[in-house]
Each structure stands twice: as C-alpha cells, then as structure tokens.
Amino acid sequence: MPVVRPRPLSRVLLFSLVPVASWFILRPLLEPLPSIPALYSSIGFSIFAFLATIYLVPALGPTFIKARLSGRDLLKVYDSKIPREETLIPESLGLVCASIYILSLILFIPFAFTTPILEQINGKKPQQGITVVEFPHYQLSVYLSSLLSLLVATILGFLDDVFDIRWRHKLPIPIIASIPLLMVYYAEHGNTNVVVPLPLRFIFGTLINLGPLYYVYMSLLSTFSTNSINILAGINGSETSQALIIALSVILNDLLYLPWPIGFRIPLHLLGNHTELEFGGVWSAGMAHGSRELVERHLFSLYFMLPLVACRPHVLNCRYPARAFPGDTLCYVTGMAFAVVGIQAHFSKTLLLFFIPQIFNFLLSCPQLFGLVPCPRHRVPRFDADTNLLHPSKASEIQFPKPPTKLTTIVLHTLSLLGLTELVKDPNTGVITNSTNLTILNVFLLRFGPMNEKRLVQVLICSQVCIYITTVNCVGSLNPAFQIAGSLLAFFIRYGLAGLIYDGDRR
Amino acid sequence: MPVVRPRPLSRVLLFSLVPVASWFILRPLLEPLPSIPALYSSIGFSIFAFLATIYLVPALGPTFIKARLSGRDLLKVYDSKIPREETLIPESLGLVCASIYILSLILFIPFAFTTPILEQINGKKPQQGITVVEFPHYQLSVYLSSLLSLLVATILGFLDDVFDIRWRHKLPIPIIASIPLLMVYYAEHGNTNVVVPLPLRFIFGTLINLGPLYYVYMSLLSTFSTNSINILAGINGSETSQALIIALSVILNDLLYLPWPIGFRIPLHLLGNHTELEFGGVWSAGMAHGSRELVERHLFSLYFMLPLVACRPHVLNCRYPARAFPGDTLCYVTGMAFAVVGIQAHFSKTLLLFFIPQIFNFLLSCPQLFGLVPCPRHRVPRFDADTNLLHPSKASEIQFPKPPTKLTTIVLHTLSLLGLTELVKDPNTGVITNSTNLTILNVFLLRFGPMNEKRLVQVLICSQVCIYITTVNCVGSLNPAFQIAGSLLAFFIRYGLAGLIYDGDRR
C-alpha cells in the first residue's frame, strides 16, 4: 500500500471558522444576554479546539517521529522498495489532542462563571431573603477537580507511551487520580444511594445506601473507563470511533435536559415507543422537570464533551488507513473524561449503559488479564499479508507453555460453548493446547469469518449501535433519555457518521 | 573519572522511617486531637515521599536510559577505555520526583480537610449565629487549582525534555496554567493593592490598586518562577540546590506564622537587629498577630513546601558528580510550586526577595534572550579537560556572525564596565567581535577566576545566602519574618547544608 501522510488543514476552513468561533466566545459579553451565556463560549472554544487539532496533528507528526515516537502499522503490507523510515507513522499524537482539549477547558474556566462574574462587576448581587449569593465556589471546585483528573490521565497515558509501563504498575494511578473527584463529591454531601433492580427489591427494598462503598464504586468506575477503551484498541480507528460514539451519546443525553427556548415534542412513537416527551422553556426542559440543578449538571457535562468531540477530527487521521496513531494518551484522557462527567454530573449508571461493548470486552478479557490464560503483549487480530484479511489471533504462538489448570479448562470450555473462543486440543489427550485471544474483535472474526481491517471497525461500530438499541428496549422504561439518545444515534451513525469515519473504498 | 551509579536506598532507613511516617499520617485520627491535625499528616506524607524518591530514582534510572532519556555529562572527563553506553547518565529523572510530589499532595487532600470532615461525621456542625458553617469549598478550590498548575508545569517540563520545545512556543503555557490560580484568587475578591515604596509615596500615596494589572503581575510571576530556575541550570546540582534553599526559606518564613503550643522569644539582637519577636499560643503566633486567616495561608504553603523538600534527596544524586540529571521537569515543577504558594498564600512580594539571584540572572540574560546578543543553545561554562576547570563561555564560537548594532554595543559596554562580561574587540577597528555568555555563572568565573564545577556551585549557593543577608539589612524593617529566615538560613547553610550537598573532596 502507498505511504500516507497526515492531512493538512484547508485554508478555507480556517478563515471561515475563526470569525464564527470568536463570535461564539464573545457572545456572553454582548447584550442581550442569552439564557446560558457560557454554552456559547463552550461552542466557540470547541471550534477553536477543532481547528487547532486539524492544524497541529499533521504539523507535529515529524516532530514525534524525530523524538522516536513512531512505529509501523503492523496490519499493512508495504512495498519493499520503500525505505523503512518512509513508512513510519507518528505515534502518541493523542497527546496533542489531549493538550488542546485541556488547554481549551482551562481557558474556558472564566467563561463558565460569566454569570456570577458579571453580577459581581455590576454590583447586582442577587439577594434572596437574608442570604447573599456568593461566588459558586462549589462549582469551581467541581470544575477544577475534573481538570485535575484529566491531567493525571494525560500524564499517565504519555508515560505509558514513552516507557511502556506494566499494567499492574499503572493500575493504581487512576484510583489516585479520582481522589479529587471523590473529595468534591463528598464535600457536596453527594448521594450514595442506588436504586435496587426490580428482581432484588424484595430483599433490599427500593433504595440501598452504599455509603463508603459508593466511593469505591466511583473510584473503580474511573479506573474502568480509563482502561476499557485502551484494551479495545489495536486496529485503525477503533479507539477514536468508540470514544466518538460514546461522547455523542452523552451529548445527546445532555441536550435532553437543557432549557430549550422553544417548546417541542419528540415523536417517540415513530421509534416504536409508547411514551411521549415534551420540551421547552428556560429551566423547564423536558427531562430536567424544572430542576435548575439537573440543568446545571448536564451543562457541566456538555462543557466537557463538546471540546472532546471537537478534538476528534483526529479520527480523520486515525481512520483506515491510519495517518497517525493516537497512542495510550488519547484512550486514557477520553476514558477519564467520561468518568468525570459520569461522576460529577451524577449519571454514572446511565454512562455504564453507553459502555456496554467495553464492559463485555473487559469481562471477556478477564481470564487473560488475571493470568488464567496466557496473555501476549498485543492481542490484535492476526494479519494475513497475502489476502489482506484479519484472522483471530492465538493466545500463545505455538501452544500453551504448560497444560491449563482445571479452572482454566472449565472457563475456556464455557466460553467455547458460547462461541466466544476457538480451542485447539491435543488430538490424543483432548487437553486444550491453545485458544484464540479473548477480545471482542476476535469474537467478531470467529463469528463472521476473516475480514479486512476496515470492515472490522465497521462491525465494531454497528455492534455498539445494535447493543444500544437492544438495551433501549430492555431498560427504556427506566431512562427515556437514554432511549432517545440510543435511537437517534442509530439513525445518525447509520446515515451520517459512516462517511466521516471511512474513506471511500481505497483498501 | 570513574563511572558513577545512582545510590540505592538503605534498608535501615526504610524500616525505621516507615512506622514513623505512618504514625504521623494517622495522628489526626487519634485522640486527643492536636490543634493542627493536618500538619502531622503532611509531615507523614513528606517522609513517605522522601523514601519513595530515594528508592525510585536509582531504581528507574535504567528504564530512563532504555527510553533514550539519557546523556553524557559534558563537563567531565571519562576514561576512553570505558564504552560510551556505560557513561550515560539518566536524564529527566525530575519527572519521578514531580510525580511523587504531586501524588503525595493528591493523597493528602482528604487529610487537609480533617477538621470539617470529622465535624460532619460527628454531626457537630459548629453553629455561629444563624449561619451554618459549611464545608470550606473555597479552600478546596485553592488546593485543587494549585495542583492543576503543578500538573501543567510537569507536563510542560517533560514535553520540553522529550521534544526540546523552542522557548517562544513554551512561553505562553505557564500563563495559561496560571488561569486556575487567578480564577480562584478572583473568586475570593483577592487583594489587588500594592504598598508603594517610600520614595514614590508622594506621587501615588501609600497604597495603589493595580486592579486587572495585578492579575497580569501574578500571571507573569508564575512564568518567571517557572523559567528562572531553568535558565540557571547547567552544572551538577545548581538547579536542585537553588530550589532547596528557596524552599527552606519559604518554610522558615511559614513557621514564624504558626501557632506554637509554647511561648518563646527569638533573641534577634544576637543577629544584629533591634526588634524582638514573641511567639506562642494557638492562633496567636508572633507574626500572625492572632489572625486565623494568616495562619491558614501559611499552613497551606507548608503543605506544599514540605513534600517539595522531601522530594529533594534527589539532590543526593544530582550533586557533583551527578548520578542523574533532573531535567527541565524538576525546574518547572519547583518553580511553579513557588509561584503557587506565593500567590495563594499571598506573599508573592516576599517570595520575590527569595528569588533575587534568579532575578539578577534573568535581567543579565535579557540581552541574549531578546536577541540583542547571539544566544547559543547552551550557555554553560566552557570545560577545560586538561585542568578540569571551568572557564567563562563565549556567546559565539569564533565571533559574532555580524557586527553588533549600536544598542548592543552600548549594552555590552555597560555590562563590561560593571564587570559582568568580558568583550573581545577587533584590534584594528575596536568593534566588539565576541563576548562571554551573560549568565551569573560566567560572572563568577570572570570575577573569581576559573574554578572546578564543585566549587562553582558552592560559590552560587554562598552568593545566594550573602544576597539574602544584604537584603535583610535593607528591607528588614518591612518584613521581619524574612529577616529571621535569611539570618537563620545563613547559619544553617554554612554549617549544616554544605555537607549534605557536597561529597567529600573527590574531584
């Protein structure tokens, strides 16, 4: 295949978007004030982040190659006449995206507090009874602790790229990174109750107070979301597209809680649902039911998700054929961003629904992660250069170094019965001598047969959407917001996104 | 000279210090409660940070060399029989110190708020009139914004180590990193007044309100302190020892504001001063004059400075002959830590007094930084391998690429008159053709003649102390705290620290 280079930013895009973005950023300073001034600035900063990403990623590629942060794409065939240096693809470019993302969030801080700042300057401190409304310190600490966790994730990801840290060394760090989040949650007397699922209510009642266990749950949530995208990486575009879908789902979910200036009704019955949702009016959006707190939480989530999606044009360079590798940095930061909004905006359980494919992949990987089955350094599918197809990869190159224990045998047989792995057995003794790697990508290849890299990412994305729709039908009654998000996503991805993530057929 | 390796941690130290540190950390949970419980935990975490640093720095050296973060010490002579790989010294190990420092600060967050947390758990919310004292959100956001700035400095420093960023590209980042600090300062209705120096009072009055300019000043302060230590680097131990001295000065200054459980009097007259200082009693320390706010600010500063000093055993490996290089990361993080405490604990002007040698070095460097005089990539003194002595280095290798402008000629002549540079002139025309690099280290070599690397660091440290003492006599009446700090430091460094920073004479 030919050598590909990152794509530079077109000048037309640059000159047309800069004034638009500037207007959005400055909108909160212009009369008449919109009802949510900070949202305009957030959109403005996201557009700038978008421009900065598509300008800097191609521009900094050579710098990364010079600093030896580069590698060859192992799942491609290159013409042997092209020298090796020319086929090097810059790695860890997610660092650029992460830096732009975090810097734009930092620059946004003063704008997030436009309303209290303007009130202070104009001396119009709103008085309510005997209480003087002071600066919202609590919201500031929510914002700062979130940024802190994102920065720790960035550092961890980049260190992983540079030093290739062993996973048991890096496991505790997201837990430590989540301490500021938990501290802020505690300072607000955060809710530690969970709603008990219907079948268990006769034992535990409707609500159960987990107390300190809830903090453990949140801490593990950040560890999970940080690592789960990373272990589903390995083929061109898989990390970026997964993250993009989750981020868009979160944004859709947030939008349902916003105070829309006009009233409208979503015709849910067209999507096969019986409930109807009505929206409209400042502080009286459909899902927020007039709660200012709920609106503010989802605004917070939007402020973090909009620039995250904006830093995603990177997907243009990561998609098949990859012009740049995102590296662990991007996976870590994106995962942490999801954990942050899930915890701080109090929808961690909804968030987990968006992570179903990752949860499945993690559970499937457990036997390898915890040492029951041998785990090679990379578990990406095996590439057949002759046919340009991917095949399921094996856990050991030839066979397991020692015969599997009883527990391993039982686990592998169960997974094999479920069609999630393929076993190689000794024809004489019947002892398992090898198995395919336990990843969702290998499962696709087992079920649907060998396919090329581009098709495999498409299958991954479609499966994510299908799982959403299935979940929608199961838990729809619990969370209508999720339901709409899932349904709209299905249409959007099917018709809109596919072209964005994939080139024309240029395999 | 022989090949040196980082020194491992002695087991005796490990086993004796771990229980001590654990007791300190857990002390706030034991009855009777001390008056400042969090200070105990801070000391405990600092001891752990100390142990972690002296364990991890030697242990991770090979990993850094493997990741190609290593270099040869340019100011040493090695036996030509030793292969090059053996003489490589790991670089950027400041990253390890910075990570330990920041992680220990994050772990400390819950302990910093022991008092409000214990009050919430015991349900003893202190009621004052009609106001319920809530969780101190403001202090939490002060703490979080400080950590945020430190993390940005860490990332910036490490990127500088990996990518060698040009200085005009990295200049704006500390300014962006200071936004959270400024936002928190603003949220607290921070003071923007400055006391006018005596000679100017007839024009401006006693106090002048700088308004937004004060924010510009604080933003530049963080940029200055981040870069100023870095531009004084280059010889074994210069970065670490400078930073250690400043940190100890800040700690001494803080200690004077603490509520000592016993009353005592410092015999200042022995140090040649006329005022007397009395200390004692909770919330009524000598310098705090009973102000709880002042005490809390200086406690905050202590919480950030104690682990910073604790991460400094690194000095053991960086001192002459260097066993590890700290890299830009350490300089950036340390500099940012000083800016953070200066801004958040409201003693930025006192802090600048501690930075006098760095300010002098910066002002001296300006003609090179701003392009009046050619500026080579490294401005370290020139090493003469035959005599093992350092000589002043020249700005250009042979001569200036083009004749100096009028302004440059005036500046260089002035500096030469002041004895701060040595000029090379064309014997026929009298035009300046070369000059020594404009750094404080070169000035020492010019004034005191060529000396070896170890002696040069000693001179640097002594000069720092001498400048302190001189300043003490000039501004002593303005800030007695600084005065005592300076005087005690002089004794401490003279008799105590010299042995710590220097090996026996093993040149």
Side-chain angles (χ1 to χ4, degrees):
Chain A
M1 65 166 285
V3 175
V4 284
R5 288 274 158 260
R7 296 170 186 173
L9 169 65
S10 88
R11 267 162 202 278
V12 180
L13 203 63
L14 180 69
F15 288 115
S16 59
L17 281 181
V18 164
V20 176
S22 312
W23 180 83
F24 269 110
I25 290 180
L26 297 175
R27 180 67 188 83
L29 305 175
L30 309 174
E31 296 286 346
L33 274 187
S35 62
I36 313 172
L39 188 56
Y40 286 81
S41 311
S42 176
I43 294 172
F45 278 112
S46 303
I47 299 174
F48 272 122
F50 173 78
L51 290 175
T53 315
I54 48 180
Y55 172 70
L56 283 178
V57 168
L60 291 177
T63 315
F64 276 71
I65 294 183
K66 218 174 109 194
R68 298 174 209 259
L69 290 165
S70 59
R72 290 183 76 181
D73 195 329
L74 297 176
L75 306 182
K76 300 280 181 303
V77 193
Y78 289 99
D79 194 333
S80 57
K81 275 174 254 158
I82 304 172
R84 189 176 178 281
E85 290 71 41
E86 297 241 326
T87 61
L88 284 180
I89 293 177
E91 260 175 13
S92 312
L93 271 173
L95 177 70
V96 178
C97 306
S99 308
I100 294 172
Y101 175 54
I102 290 171
L103 288 183
S104 72
L105 282 176
I106 292 179
L107 283 173
F108 174 67
I109 299 178
F111 293 87
F113 297 92
T114 325
T115 319
I117 290 176
L118 287 180
E119 276 165 2
Q120 277 190 10
I121 289 174
N122 301 336
K124 284 190 298 187
K125 288 188 189 165
Q127 305 247 340
Q128 296 179 347
I130 49 164
T131 335
V132 178
V133 177
E134 267 286 327
F135 192 91
H137 288 299
Y138 169 66
Q139 288 179 26
L140 186 58
S141 49
V142 165
Y143 204 98
L144 294 173
S145 63
S146 311
L147 278 174
L148 204 52
S149 300
L150 288 177
L151 271 171
V152 175
T154 309
I155 295 186
L156 180 65
F158 190 58
L159 291 185
D160 199 6
D161 279 336
V162 174
F163 296 112
D164 246 341
I165 310 171
R166 258 171 279 171
W167 75 275
R168 68 169 176 277
H169 289 165
K170 65 192 178 192
L171 203 62
I173 298 186
I175 298 179
I176 295 176
S178 68
I179 290 180
L181 294 180
L182 303 188
M183 191 65 210
V184 170
Y185 196 87
Y186 178 85
E188 192 220 13
H189 311 283
N191 174 32
T192 54
N193 293 313
V194 280
V195 179
V196 178
L198 281 174
L200 297 175
R201 283 199 188 161
F202 74 99
I203 311 175
F204 298 109
T206 316
L207 274 182
I208 188 167
N209 187 1
L210 291 181
L213 277 183
Y214 197 84
Y215 289 87
V216 175
Y217 153 70
M218 289 192 292
S219 184
L220 291 179
L221 178 74
S222 68
T223 312
F224 168 74
S225 62
T226 315
N227 286 296
S228 64
I229 296 181
N230 203 14
I231 63 171
L232 222 167
I235 58 175
N236 290 175
S238 64
E239 308 95 326
T240 40
S241 54
Q242 282 175 71
L244 187 62
I245 293 175
I246 299 176
L248 289 175
S249 313
V250 173
I251 288 179
L252 274 175
N253 186 30
D254 291 332
L255 287 180
L256 297 174
Y257 288 84
L258 284 207
W260 294 94
I262 44 154
F264 62 92
R265 184 187 278 266
I266 293 186
L268 270 193
H269 58 91
L270 295 182
L271 303 171
N273 199 279
H274 298 292
T275 48
E276 288 283 310
L277 277 176
E278 222 168 315
F279 292 85
V282 174
W283 307 128
S284 63
M287 301 302 304
H289 299 299
S291 153
R292 183 172 179 137
E293 201 182 3
L294 260 181
V295 172
E296 278 178 352
R297 283 180 187 164
H298 284 278
L299 274 177
F300 169 86
S301 161
L302 263 187
Y303 298 156
F304 276 77
M305 285 295 124
L306 287 177
L308 188 72
V309 170
C311 292
R312 222 29 71 134
H314 195 42
V315 87
L316 291 175
N317 286 313
C318 294
R319 69 183 177 177
Y320 182 89
R323 290 160 163 74
F325 294 139
D328 296 330
T329 321
L330 196 75
C331 302
Y332 278 61
V333 172
T334 315
M336 188 53 97
F338 293 135
V340 159
V341 297
I343 292 174
Q344 305 276 36
H346 299 245
F347 58 82
S348 59
K349 283 142 281 180
T350 309
L351 185 73
L352 283 178
L353 293 179
F354 294 135
F355 266 95
I356 286 178
Q358 284 75 23
I359 296 176
F360 176 77
N361 187 52
F362 172 72
L363 291 177
L364 186 62
S365 304
C366 277
Q368 288 196 297
L369 293 181
F370 296 111
L372 282 180
V373 177
C375 184
R377 182 80 191 84
H378 290 288
R379 305 190 299 161
V380 284
R382 183 172 59 78
F383 177 59
D384 183 352
D386 296 334
T387 59
N388 200 13
L389 294 180
L390 296 179
H391 295 265
S393 58
K394 298 281 186 214
S396 297
E397 213 160 323
I398 301 163
Q399 63 171 44
F400 289 159
K402 52 184 180 182
T405 61
K406 255 188 192 161
L407 181 62
T408 307
T409 312
I410 295 173
V411 169
L412 283 177
H413 272 298
T414 316
L415 290 175
S416 166
L417 268 180
L418 294 170
L420 301 175
T421 184
E422 203 174 60
L423 305 177
V424 180
K425 289 180 189 167
D426 189 306
N428 303 322
T429 57
V431 174
I432 301 172
T433 55
N434 210 342
S435 75
T436 57
N437 277 312
L438 302 170
T439 69
I440 199 171
L441 295 177
N442 278 329
V443 172
F444 289 142
L445 292 172
L446 278 178
R447 292 299 97 208
F448 306 124
M451 55 185 108
N452 66 38
E453 194 175 357
K454 184 178 151 188
R455 172 81 48 198
L456 185 56
V457 185
Q458 284 174 329
V459 170
L460 177 67
I461 294 176
C462 287
S463 75
Q464 196 153 5
V465 177
C466 292
I467 294 172
Y468 280 174
I469 297 175
T470 319
T471 329
V472 161
N473 289 325
C474 302
V475 297
S477 58
L478 287 179
N479 191 336
F482 174 68
Q483 189 162 6
I484 305 171
S487 311
L488 291 181
L489 244 183
F491 285 93
F492 181 66
I493 289 168
R494 173 67 192 77
Y495 297 104
L497 213 66
L500 187 78
I501 299 190
Y502 298 100
D503 262 352
D505 200 346
R506 51 189 292 174
R507 162 188 146 188
Chain B
M1 66 164 284
V3 174
V4 285
R5 289 272 156 261
R7 295 172 186 173
L9 170 66
S10 87
R11 266 161 202 281
V12 180
L13 203 63
L14 181 68
F15 287 117
S16 60
L17 280 181
V18 165
V20 176
S22 312
W23 180 83
F24 268 109
I25 289 180
L26 297 175
R27 179 68 188 82
L29 305 176
L30 310 173
E31 295 286 345
L33 273 187
S35 63
I36 312 175
L39 188 56
Y40 286 81
S41 313
S42 177
I43 295 172
F45 278 111
S46 302
I47 299 174
F48 271 122
F50 173 78
L51 290 175
T53 314
I54 48 180
Y55 172 69
L56 283 178
V57 167
L60 291 178
T63 315
F64 276 71
I65 294 181
K66 218 175 110 195
R68 299 176 208 255
L69 290 166
S70 59
R72 291 182 77 179
D73 196 330
L74 297 175
L75 306 181
K76 300 279 181 301
V77 194
Y78 290 100
D79 194 333
S80 57
K81 275 176 252 157
I82 304 173
R84 191 178 178 281
E85 289 70 42
E86 297 242 326
T87 60
L88 284 179
I89 293 177
E91 260 175 14
S92 313
L93 270 173
L95 179 71
V96 178
C97 306
S99 308
I100 295 171
Y101 175 54
I102 291 171
L103 288 182
S104 71
L105 281 176
I106 291 180
L107 283 172
F108 173 66
I109 297 178
F111 293 87
F113 298 91
T114 325
T115 319
I117 289 176
L118 288 179
E119 276 165 2
Q120 277 191 10
I121 288 173
N122 301 336
K124 284 190 295 186
K125 288 186 192 171
Q127 306 247 339
Q128 297 178 348
I130 50 165
T131 336
V132 179
V133 177
E134 268 287 327
F135 192 90
H137 288 299
Y138 170 67
Q139 287 178 27
L140 185 59
S141 47
V142 165
Y143 204 98
L144 294 174
S145 63
S146 309
L147 278 174
L148 203 52
S149 298
L150 288 177
L151 271 172
V152 175
T154 309
I155 295 186
L156 181 64
F158 191 58
L159 291 186
D160 199 5
D161 280 336
V162 175
F163 295 111
D164 244 342
I165 309 171
R166 258 170 281 172
W167 75 275
R168 66 169 178 277
H169 290 164
K170 66 194 178 193
L171 202 63
I173 299 184
I175 298 180
I176 296 176
S178 68
I179 291 180
L181 295 180
L182 303 189
M183 191 66 211
V184 169
Y185 196 87
Y186 179 85
E188 192 219 11
H189 312 282
N191 173 31
T192 54
N193 293 314
V194 281
V195 179
V196 179
L198 281 175
L200 296 175
R201 281 198 189 163
F202 72 100
I203 309 176
F204 298 111
T206 315
L207 273 181
I208 188 167
N209 187 359
L210 289 182
L213 277 183
Y214 196 84
Y215 289 87
V216 176
Y217 153 71
M218 290 193 292
S219 183
L220 292 180
L221 178 74
S222 67
T223 311
F224 168 74
S225 61
T226 315
N227 286 295
S228 64
I229 296 179
N230 203 15
I231 63 171
L232 223 166
I235 57 174
N236 290 174
S238 64
E239 307 95 325
T240 39
S241 55
Q242 283 174 73
L244 187 62
I245 293 175
I246 299 177
L248 290 175
S249 314
V250 173
I251 288 179
L252 275 176
N253 185 30
D254 292 333
L255 287 179
L256 297 175
Y257 288 84
L258 284 205
W260 295 95
I262 45 156
F264 62 94
R265 185 187 279 267
I266 293 186
L268 271 194
H269 56 91
L270 295 182
L271 301 172
N273 199 278
H274 299 291
T275 49
E276 287 283 311
L277 277 175
E278 222 169 313
F279 292 86
V282 173
W283 308 126
S284 64
M287 301 301 306
H289 298 296
S291 154
R292 184 174 177 136
E293 201 180 2
L294 261 181
V295 172
E296 278 178 352
R297 282 180 188 164
H298 284 277
L299 273 176
F300 168 86
S301 164
L302 262 187
Y303 297 156
F304 275 77
M305 284 295 124
L306 286 178
L308 188 72
V309 170
C311 292
R312 221 31 68 133
H314 194 42
V315 88
L316 291 175
N317 286 314
C318 293
R319 67 182 179 180
Y320 183 91
R323 291 159 164 76
F325 294 137
D328 297 328
T329 321
L330 195 75
C331 302
Y332 278 61
V333 172
T334 315
M336 188 54 98
F338 294 135
V340 158
V341 297
I343 292 173
Q344 306 275 35
H346 300 246
F347 57 84
S348 58
K349 282 141 283 179
T350 309
L351 184 73
L352 283 178
L353 293 179
F354 295 135
F355 265 95
I356 286 176
Q358 284 74 23
I359 296 176
F360 176 76
N361 187 54
F362 173 73
L363 292 177
L364 186 63
S365 303
C366 277
Q368 287 197 298
L369 293 180
F370 295 111
L372 282 180
V373 176
C375 184
R377 182 80 192 84
H378 291 288
R379 303 189 300 161
V380 284
R382 186 172 57 80
F383 177 60
D384 182 354
D386 296 333
T387 58
N388 200 15
L389 293 181
L390 296 180
H391 296 266
S393 59
K394 297 280 186 217
S396 296
E397 211 159 322
I398 302 164
Q399 63 172 44
F400 290 159
K402 52 185 178 183
T405 61
K406 255 186 192 163
L407 181 63
T408 307
T409 311
I410 295 173
V411 169
L412 283 178
H413 273 298
T414 316
L415 291 174
S416 167
L417 268 179
L418 294 169
L420 302 175
T421 184
E422 204 175 60
L423 305 178
V424 181
K425 289 179 192 168
D426 189 307
N428 303 322
T429 58
V431 173
I432 301 172
T433 56
N434 211 342
S435 75
T436 58
N437 277 313
L438 302 169
T439 68
I440 201 172
L441 296 176
N442 279 328
V443 172
F444 290 142
L445 292 172
L446 278 178
R447 292 300 96 209
F448 306 123
M451 54 184 108
N452 66 36
E453 192 174 356
K454 184 178 152 188
R455 172 79 48 197
L456 185 56
V457 185
Q458 284 174 329
V459 171
L460 177 68
I461 294 175
C462 288
S463 75
Q464 195 153 7
V465 176
C466 293
I467 294 173
Y468 281 173
I469 297 174
T470 318
T471 328
V472 160
N473 289 326
C474 302
V475 298
S477 57
L478 287 176
N479 193 337
F482 174 68
Q483 193 162 4
I484 306 170
S487 310
L488 290 180
L489 245 183
F491 285 95
F492 181 66
I493 290 170
R494 174 65 192 81
Y495 296 104
L497 212 66
L500 186 78
I501 299 190
Y502 297 99
D503 259 352
D505 199 348
R506 52 190 290 176
R507 163 193 142 176

